[in-house]
Amino acid sequence: MAVTLDDVRHIAALARLGLSEARAHTLVDELNTILRHMDVLSKVDTEGMPEVAGVGAAGAPLRPDSGPPIALLRPRETFAPRMQDGFFLVPRLSTHEDAEASS
């Protein structure tokens, strides 16, 4: 499967990225190079090789979250306009509201 110029333009539009024609062509080449490399790697025979530690359904092992919290110079409440249940509440971006209104 190859990435086309239309694919790159479509993704750039979804991400609202300004993309010059030259940069779009460069990205097509770079992405297709990566995909060709992945295709080569997918053909490597790994039969009988042990699994890599941390890969699989169990994921990477996590260390316990222990110890006292790190003291801040200012209270957490000073970092955002509002807080609720320990989470920062910040205003929604107006660009996101425009996208929802048009869909």
Side-chain angles (χ1 to χ4, degrees):
M1 171 202 276
V3 175
T4 66
L5 190 56
D6 287 337
D7 294 332
V8 170
R9 287 181 184 140
H10 178 71
I11 292 168
L14 290 174
R16 296 182 180 192
L17 297 175
L19 201 58
S20 71
E21 198 62 22
R23 183 66 180 138
H25 285 282
T26 301
L27 284 172
V28 168
D29 292 339
E30 289 175 358
L31 291 169
N32 283 319
T33 299
I34 291 168
L35 290 175
R36 281 192 301 275
H37 184 67
M38 292 294 109
D39 189 44
V40 169
L41 290 177
S42 72
K43 294 176 183 173
V44 173
D45 181 20
T46 58
E47 191 66 36
M49 298 297 294
E51 289 188 15
V52 177
V55 175
L62 300 176
R63 66 172 174 77
D65 188 12
S66 59
I70 298 170
L72 300 174
L73 295 177
R74 302 183 319 205
R76 288 182 306 147
E77 292 76 15
T78 62
F79 291 104
R82 295 183 12 217
M83 289 193 67
Q84 179 179 339
D85 301 324
F87 293 98
F88 297 120
L89 297 177
V90 295
R92 187 170 182 82
L93 294 173
S94 62
T95 55
H96 290 212
E97 292 169 355
D98 295 342
E100 287 179 358
S102 64
S103 58

